[in-house]
Amino acid sequence: MPYDELTGDEAMRAPDAAGPRTRSEGLSEGIDPTMFSVLLHAIGQASDEMTRVLQRGARSTIISIARDHSASIYTAQAQMLYQNDALPIHTIGGALNIDATIEEFGDDINEGDVFMINDPYMGTTHNSDLTVIMPVFHEGRHLFWTSIRAHQNNTGEASFGHASTSVWQDGIQIPPVRIFERGKEVRSIIRFYLRNVRLPEWLEADLRAMVGSVRTGAARLSEMTATHGVDTVLATVAEMIEYSDRRTAAEIRALPDGVYKGESWIDSDGQGTHDIRIACTVTIEDDMVHVDYSESDPQVGGHCNSSLASLQANGSIPVLTTIDPTIPRNEGCMRHIKVSAREGTVALGKWPSSTWWSTTNPGDELIEAAWKALAQAAPDRVPAGWGRIQQRLSMGDDYRTDPPTPFAASIFVAGSGGGGSAGYDGWPLTQCVCALGGLQNESVEMVELLQPLFIESNEFLIDSAGAGEWIGGHGCETVVMPYHGLLYMKFEYEGTLNPPFGLFGGLPGNGGCKYKETPDGKRYFYQAHPDPDAFREGERYVCVSSGGGGYGSALDRPPEAVRELVRDELVSPEMARVRFGVVLDAETLAVDEAETEALRERMQETADRSMSLPAGPGEGLFWQTRFREGDELVVEETPVALRLGLSPEAR
């Protein structure tokens, strides 16, 4: 269901149309501020404990180390109440999963029940994000839902690593199903799930950790209610939402009303279509923000069409990053944000299009386009472009054991950089935009211990960040090699052709690249989403992640701050001169103040201070700096079914 066509219970959560609010931003009359603080932190502690239980119990490193998971708490009416240390892509649209469960089971929801769901057409972001939810009861009354969403290493997709063209190739689709009934395990459902995925032992351990997580959260919320009483808890919870509502309304009213536009481009759908346009129109009126993507390109044949949950989250994230960060992110905030798209576009795929990668692709681009629009209304609150997802995944047999044992790895040892913003340089190692820095890098030693691969090198790359008064986070260069056998690698890599944008004269990040290098030195360069490739002993996989975009003109960065970047080998002396207009002594690296002043004065005459750079698609050229005579470009091939123009149902 499109987000702008809410009905039934969902309509109760839609924005109040009664006109401007007149209440103060403080607590409502009759609410005890001490009790408010106590219960807010108690709910937060329950969410935090859910996170720790999952991380300590999960087997897959993408959950236990890389933290690709989120714990959140909702009211019985599926209103988002609390998200702690979570990925916003996971939690903002989480109510849709609960809505689907309520619709499926109606009044047959009982104490001790646990449900799971991963269907992207029933409220999940993409089918890799398995979601486990549990109703929380106290003295027979349903008060809350606890929810955990975690990325699975495998969902039984038709062919590991190939860009899918329909939901049936994405893997098993799970509607809301009950896996524990009144506390008793429904083993037949769990066995059915595990028979349809690779690495069932791994995924069963992950699933049990997820169940333990929601049960822990439910127990803590029940204890809190027993201590303070149902009436006090419900009244205070309602005020938590109203409190965020009032503060969000005030923040948005402070922004200038108007209609603002931005656009971004997806490198590829993995099936031969490139530079796919995301178009965003942001309308600010009084205390409402409407983020609309209806002018985006039609849905594509590959796996980068957005689900409704991903659309709702990624369209809301740019607004939520623009308001005061001390406002609790809950349903009260969401009342002031409307996200929409025309079904059948890449921004909201129509069943049965593939949404396999929708969280980051087109998720990252949805955020970028809205940020560009919002930068016109709130220039001091919007960052330059972040580096997009640049992930390496591997699956196969570990021949270090006898007999060989199956393994799966999502190699998060490095990542892209975030964008610079007014007053701050960008973060390094942010991984992707939609996680907002919430993912965690794995240690090289742990990756090598658990998987049959060797990280030859892993380091920040010089001159990778977009230059600006405030620079982007630095990109990395990582070299991976097989260890004792064959390494089967798949790639998800965006932003090479369309690098992270710079703002207000800031320059784009480098965009990065990826390639195989054989022992004779030949390089095979991959496009955004190529088919998987096999790496044999002696072959190297080189991945260069992108630096973030710069904010403001590089000519305004203090020369001493540029010198420090050169000293730390993050910027070269040549780049200091060419981009920042700073001349350094070749031996001492001391700033030549006279030469620097003269050079900057000349450069100011031709400096490009455009709001956003690059202004169009396909401007990423960094990969060409690594391409040598005799190297090859591995070109994506469009499947026969798509070339023939068959309908998705016929594929």
Side-chain angles (χ1 to χ4, degrees):
M1 176 191 303
Y3 189 54
D4 58 350
E5 295 180 10
L6 302 178
T7 60
D9 290 340
E10 291 176 317
M12 296 174 62
R13 298 201 300 273
D16 184 356
R21 301 178 186 275
T22 58
R23 293 172 294 180
S24 71
E25 295 180 35
L27 298 180
S28 297
E29 186 176 350
I31 297 296
D32 180 359
T34 301
M35 182 60 66
F36 182 90
S37 180
V38 167
L39 293 186
L40 180 65
H41 286 85
I43 294 171
Q45 182 61 32
S47 177
D48 179 67
E49 193 169 347
M50 289 172 64
T51 299
R52 288 186 278 115
V53 166
L54 176 63
Q55 275 196 256
R56 292 175 179 175
R59 178 171 180 178
S60 300
T61 57
I62 194 170
I63 300 175
S64 61
I65 301 177
R67 296 173 57 87
D68 197 344
H69 58 75
S70 298
S72 49
I73 295 170
Y74 300 82
T75 68
Q77 295 75 35
Q79 297 173 311
M80 183 170 71
L81 180 61
Y82 202 98
Q83 49 179 326
N84 181 68
D85 196 18
L87 309 185
I89 178 60
H90 283 168
T91 57
I92 293 173
L96 295 172
N97 269 170
I98 299 174
D99 287 338
T101 302
I102 294 172
E103 182 177 353
E104 179 72 22
F105 290 92
D107 294 333
D108 187 19
I109 295 174
N110 312 293
E111 189 166 3
D113 287 353
V114 179
F115 304 89
M116 75 174 181
I117 180 174
N118 85 334
D119 192 329
Y121 287 94
M122 300 188 77
T124 309
T125 42
H126 64 159
N127 76 324
S128 294
D129 281 340
L130 184 67
T131 306
V132 172
I133 61 176
M134 183 176 186
V136 182
F137 287 79
H138 180 73
E139 296 180 350
R141 187 172 178 181
H142 184 190
L143 302 179
F144 302 101
W145 291 89
T146 54
S147 173
I148 197 80
R149 182 170 282 175
H151 189 106
Q152 306 300 295
N153 261 326
N154 183 258
T155 57
E157 59 266 29
S159 179
F160 172 75
H162 292 264
S164 50
T165 61
S166 71
V167 293
W168 299 293
Q169 294 179 7
D170 289 347
I172 185 172
Q173 311 294 311
I174 306 171
V177 294
R178 188 168 11 220
I179 57 175
F180 282 80
E181 185 169 9
R182 298 181 187 272
K184 183 178 180 181
E185 178 180 314
V186 186
R187 184 61 186 167
S188 59
I189 297 294
I190 295 176
R191 289 185 68 246
F192 177 84
Y193 162 62
L194 296 174
R195 287 287 290 179
N196 282 277
V197 296
R198 300 172 178 88
L199 304 174
E201 291 183 0
W202 289 46
L203 298 187
E204 181 170 14
D206 294 341
L207 178 60
R208 294 196 178 280
M210 295 174 73
V211 172
S213 173
V214 295
R215 282 178 163 174
T216 298
R220 298 298 171 263
L221 293 172
S222 182
E223 292 166 3
M224 175 192 73
T225 306
T227 299
H228 300 286
V230 172
D231 292 342
T232 298
V233 167
L234 290 183
T236 307
V237 163
E239 177 61 19
M240 291 175 188
I241 293 173
E242 295 302 317
Y243 172 75
S244 293
D245 181 323
R246 295 193 293 273
R247 292 191 61 190
T248 302
E251 286 282 303
I252 294 175
R253 285 198 192 100
L255 299 176
D257 286 357
V259 178
Y260 309 94
K261 292 182 178 291
E263 58 185 355
S264 184
W265 297 271
I266 303 168
D267 281 2
S268 168
D269 70 341
Q271 303 291 356
T273 304
H274 300 122
D275 294 335
I276 304 158
R277 180 172 177 260
I278 296 290
C280 180
T281 299
V282 173
T283 302
I284 302 175
E285 185 176 0
D286 191 35
D287 65 354
M288 282 296 300
V289 180
H290 181 193
V291 183
D292 181 64
Y293 296 97
S294 294
E295 296 179 8
S296 299
D297 280 350
Q299 67 185 43
V300 291
H303 59 190
C304 62
N305 301 296
S306 181
S307 66
L308 176 59
S310 291
L311 169 69
Q312 182 174 331
N314 289 313
S316 300
I317 287 169
V319 181
L320 293 173
T321 59
T322 305
I323 64 175
D324 189 332
T326 66
I327 300 173
R329 272 29 177 185
N330 60 35
E331 177 66 23
C333 302
M334 305 312 299
R335 291 173 179 173
H336 299 276
I337 305 170
K338 177 181 177 181
V339 182
S340 60
R342 181 168 50 85
E343 191 177 42
T345 63
V346 68
L348 183 58
K350 184 177 181 179
W351 187 90
S353 67
S354 171
T355 61
W356 191 82
W357 207 249
S358 75
T359 50
T360 61
N361 183 27
D364 289 354
E365 293 83 357
L366 293 171
I367 296 171
E368 285 182 359
W371 266 342
K372 289 179 182 178
L374 285 165
Q376 301 163 56
D380 293 339
R381 295 192 176 193
V382 174
W386 289 36
R388 302 180 193 166
I389 186 70
Q390 296 173 5
Q391 185 180 1
R392 290 79 61 193
L393 301 96
S394 182
M395 181 174 286
D397 292 323
D398 188 345
Y399 288 92
R400 296 175 299 178
T401 64
D402 187 17
T405 54
F407 82 97
S410 295
I411 307 170
F412 279 105
V413 295
S416 298
S421 58
Y424 301 93
D425 291 337
W427 296 341
L429 307 174
T430 52
Q431 299 292 353
C432 58
V433 188
C434 65
L436 290 182
L439 293 171
Q440 179 171 288
N441 277 19
E442 301 170 335
S443 72
V444 168
E445 294 78 10
M446 187 62 71
V447 168
E448 293 178 334
L449 176 67
L450 297 176
Q451 286 93 34
L453 53 86
F454 174 64
I455 309 295
E456 183 182 68
S457 62
N458 189 43
E459 58 189 357
F460 287 127
L461 184 66
I462 196 168
D463 294 336
S464 57
E469 181 178 6
W470 305 100
I471 65 170
H474 309 289
C476 302
E477 180 169 354
T478 306
V479 180
V480 183
M481 301 179 67
Y483 180 81
H484 198 67
L486 189 70
L487 190 60
Y488 187 60
M489 297 279 286
K490 67 173 291 190
F491 321 98
E492 295 298 338
Y493 198 99
E494 269 287 327
T496 296
L497 304 180
N498 294 283
F501 62 91
L503 272 183
F504 306 114
L507 299 180
N510 67 334
C513 65
K514 61 183 182 296
Y515 54 90
K516 174 197 281 189
E517 188 170 79
T518 58
D520 62 4
K522 184 173 182 177
R523 295 173 176 176
Y524 296 84
F525 284 74
Y526 305 105
Q527 292 183 311
H529 305 280
D531 288 339
D533 203 353
F535 290 77
R536 294 165 176 81
E537 291 193 55
E539 294 181 332
R540 307 161 76 239
Y541 170 56
V542 181
C543 175
V544 178
S545 63
S546 180
Y551 184 102
S553 173
L555 300 179
D556 295 332
R557 189 175 181 92
E560 177 60 23
V562 177
R563 186 195 71 80
E564 291 175 357
L565 292 172
V566 175
R567 178 201 63 193
D568 295 340
E569 299 183 352
L570 296 170
V571 169
S572 66
E574 179 184 8
M575 189 65 70
R577 179 179 58 81
V578 172
R579 296 298 188 201
F580 294 91
V582 174
V583 181
L584 303 174
D585 182 271
E587 295 184 0
T588 66
L589 297 184
V591 176
D592 188 322
E593 295 183 3
E595 286 292 329
T596 294
E597 183 177 357
L599 177 58
R600 284 190 160 186
E601 186 174 344
R602 294 193 301 271
M603 293 175 68
Q604 291 282 10
E605 298 176 0
T606 57
D608 188 345
R609 294 180 178 265
S610 300
M611 194 206 82
S612 177
L613 294 170
E619 295 296 319
L621 302 176
F622 173 80
W623 69 274
Q624 297 180 9
T625 66
R626 296 288 182 97
F627 197 89
R628 305 173 304 193
E629 184 177 356
D631 292 343
E632 290 187 19
L633 183 63
V634 180
V635 180
E636 300 161 348
E637 295 184 3
T638 305
V640 173
L642 295 183
R643 292 202 301 269
L644 295 176
L646 298 178
S647 67
E649 292 85 351
R651 291 173 195 164

